């Protein structure tokens, strides 16, 4: 479905307008969709819908799945077409970050990008990383009859690489006054730490970015055999910050709102007992696949970290 409704306010033939747009599915397409779905007598049959702009988003402090079509109400118009269906997947892009959202029988996969942050992180730092810290990559879907499973695959990375750990003691060491001053130039940071992104992070904190997280993943972290409480937090990814935000200003380029690191919905934190203990991190996806790392601390914070 084509859900990018181009407006281009002020544009005329031969001159560029504002290049603005709305995101929704037009009435003409909805009529076609309703007619097409009416031919499916078995509503338990899986249906997969591809669109560019996401129908929902969950990048908010409450991690709520909120409708994102514009004008308001257009998301629900699309959802209503699938009433009675039991297995519907939306595949969307546009945002250059990962977010998995569920509303009844609808599961939306908003997938990050092969081109990461429009290739800029790779150009500036040699590391392809998306706005949410996910590696530049793509989603893989495997169908077996009515069974569908999936995973996110980073370019040039093993398919089992599904999260990254950060020793926030080392990340905060990187945040010198000079670095904070540079990052403060990015627009979203004016009222959010003013460049000191992790001012509210306690000593011995570890962040874990699980970029394809959904409601049926689990995350378990142990320190010397003792399980640590895991908390989901709304925070930025440090790797994207140094590979794009920091590097861009160092290279004399302007901060651009669309490319800035953003707080996202799949970061988690634990607090260790000391700065030098090792942690065992185990993430398990909804299909029972397990991904593990023994995190040796202190863990250095660099652009080429795993």
């Amino acid at each position: 479905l084509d859900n990018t409704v181009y407006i281009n306010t002020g544009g005329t033939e031969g001159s560029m307008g504002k290049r603005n747009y709305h995101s929704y599915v037009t009435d003409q397409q909805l009529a076609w969709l309703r007619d097409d779905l009416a031919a499916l007598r078995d509503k338990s049959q899986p249906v997969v819908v591809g669109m560019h702009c996401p129908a929902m988003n969950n990048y908010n402090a409450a991690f709520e799945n909120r409708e994102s079509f514009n004008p308001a109400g257009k998301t629900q118009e699309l959802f209503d077409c699938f009433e009675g269906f039991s297995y519907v997947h939306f595949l969307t892009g546009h945002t250059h970050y990962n977010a998995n959202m569920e509303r009844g029988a609808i599961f939306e996969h908003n997938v990050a990008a092969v081109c990461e942050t429009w290739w800029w992180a790779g150009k500036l730092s040699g590391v392809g990383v998306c706005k949410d810290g996910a590696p530049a990559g793509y989603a893989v879907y495997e169908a077996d009859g009515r069974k569908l499973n999936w995973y996110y695959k980073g370019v040039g990375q093993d398919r089992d690489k599904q999260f990254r750990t950060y020793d926030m003691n080392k990340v905060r060491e990187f945040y010198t006054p000079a670095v904070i001053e540079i990052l403060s130039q990015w627009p979203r940071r004016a009222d959010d730490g003013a460049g000191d992104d992790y001012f509210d992070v306690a000593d011995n904190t570890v962040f874990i970015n699980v970029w394809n997280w959904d409601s049926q993943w689990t995350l378990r972290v142990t320190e010397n055999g003792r399980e640590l409480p895991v908390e989901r937090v709304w925070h930025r990814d440090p790797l994207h910050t140094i590979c794009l935000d920091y590097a861009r200003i160092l290279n004399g380029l302007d901060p651009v709102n669309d490319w800035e690191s953003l707080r996202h919905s799949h970061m988690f934190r634990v607090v260790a007992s000391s700065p030098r203990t090792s942690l065992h991190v185990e993430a398990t996806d909804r299909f029972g696949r397990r991904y593990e790392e023994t995190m040796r601390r202190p863990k250095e914070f660099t652009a080429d970290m795993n």
Side-chain angles (χ1 to χ4, degrees):
L1 299 174
D2 179 3
N3 66 350
T4 306
V5 182
Y6 202 50
I7 299 170
N8 195 29
T9 300
T12 60
E13 185 174 353
S15 65
M16 181 64 70
K18 292 185 177 180
R19 302 176 65 189
N20 52 324
Y21 57 89
H22 288 325
S23 58
Y24 64 91
V25 179
T26 62
D27 290 343
Q28 181 182 22
Q29 289 184 88
L30 288 175
W32 172 86
L33 179 62
R34 294 186 191 102
D35 185 62
D36 194 57
L37 293 174
L40 293 177
R41 296 180 180 179
D42 181 3
K43 291 191 175 184
S44 67
Q45 180 175 341
V47 178
V48 180
V49 180
M51 304 180 291
H52 182 70
C53 299
M56 294 184 284
N57 75 79
N58 64 5
Y59 275 31
N60 56 79
F63 311 120
E64 295 175 343
N65 298 335
R66 298 174 178 171
E67 298 177 6
S68 59
F69 279 177
N70 176 25
K74 292 294 186 179
T75 297
Q76 190 60 50
E77 284 186 7
L78 176 61
F79 285 2
D80 288 344
C81 295
F82 298 95
E83 185 171 354
F85 284 84
S86 55
Y87 198 62
V88 181
H89 287 265
F90 289 175
L91 310 185
T92 58
H94 185 61
T95 60
H96 297 244
Y97 56 66
N98 278 301
N100 291 311
M101 296 148 291
E102 298 166 72
R103 173 82 68 86
I106 294 173
F107 190 120
E108 178 166 5
H109 312 252
N110 186 214
V111 184
V114 168
C115 70
E116 38 101 351
T117 319
W118 294 268
W119 296 279
W120 273 105
K123 176 180 176 63
L124 295 170
S125 67
V127 179
V129 58
C130 301
K131 292 195 293 184
D132 62 342
Y138 49 91
V140 178
Y141 299 89
E142 299 172 334
D144 181 5
R146 295 189 174 208
K147 181 181 179 183
L148 184 70
N149 60 43
W150 56 85
Y151 60 94
Y152 185 80
K153 173 71 170 61
V155 174
Q157 297 191 3
D158 188 272
R159 65 164 289 175
D160 287 338
K161 180 63 177 177
Q162 293 293 324
F163 65 83
R164 185 185 305 108
T165 59
Y166 294 99
D167 183 341
M168 297 306 293
N169 291 341
K170 302 303 288 186
V171 171
R172 287 167 56 199
E173 285 180 10
F174 174 81
Y175 273 69
T176 63
V179 170
I180 292 170
E181 172 62 26
I182 287 172
L183 293 175
S184 70
Q185 299 178 47
W186 286 88
R188 288 192 182 96
R189 287 174 162 91
D191 299 314
D192 183 18
D196 189 2
D197 294 341
Y198 305 106
F199 66 92
D200 57 349
V201 173
D203 290 345
N204 304 326
T205 294
V206 167
F207 275 10
I208 306 160
N209 188 345
V210 188
W211 37 79
N212 208 28
W213 177 268
D214 67 46
S215 64
Q216 293 189 30
W217 280 65
T218 60
L219 183 60
R220 184 172 183 265
V221 182
T222 56
E223 178 188 38
N224 297 323
R226 178 178 65 92
E227 189 164 350
L228 300 178
V230 177
E231 180 185 6
R232 191 179 185 184
V233 294
W234 192 46
H235 242 301
R236 289 182 177 86
D237 181 83
L239 184 61
H240 183 263
T241 293
I242 63 169
C243 291
L244 189 284
D245 299 21
Y246 178 66
R248 188 171 173 83
I249 302 298
L250 282 186
N251 280 271
L253 300 169
D254 292 334
V256 179
N257 194 55
D258 285 347
W259 300 340
E260 184 176 359
S261 297
L262 76 165
R263 291 175 179 255
H264 58 79
S265 61
H266 45 77
M267 186 72 85
F268 299 83
R269 74 176 168 207
V270 298
V271 180
S273 64
S274 83
R276 306 197 70 83
T277 54
S278 294
L279 303 182
H280 185 74
V281 182
E282 179 181 291
T284 305
D285 69 17
R286 63 168 47 224
F287 307 109
R289 292 188 295 248
R290 186 178 300 166
Y291 313 100
E292 301 179 73
E293 177 188 335
T294 297
M295 181 187 183
R296 312 292 182 188
R297 300 170 56 246
K299 180 177 179 180
E300 294 302 317
F301 175 55
T302 62
D304 60 356
M305 66 185 300
N306 290 326

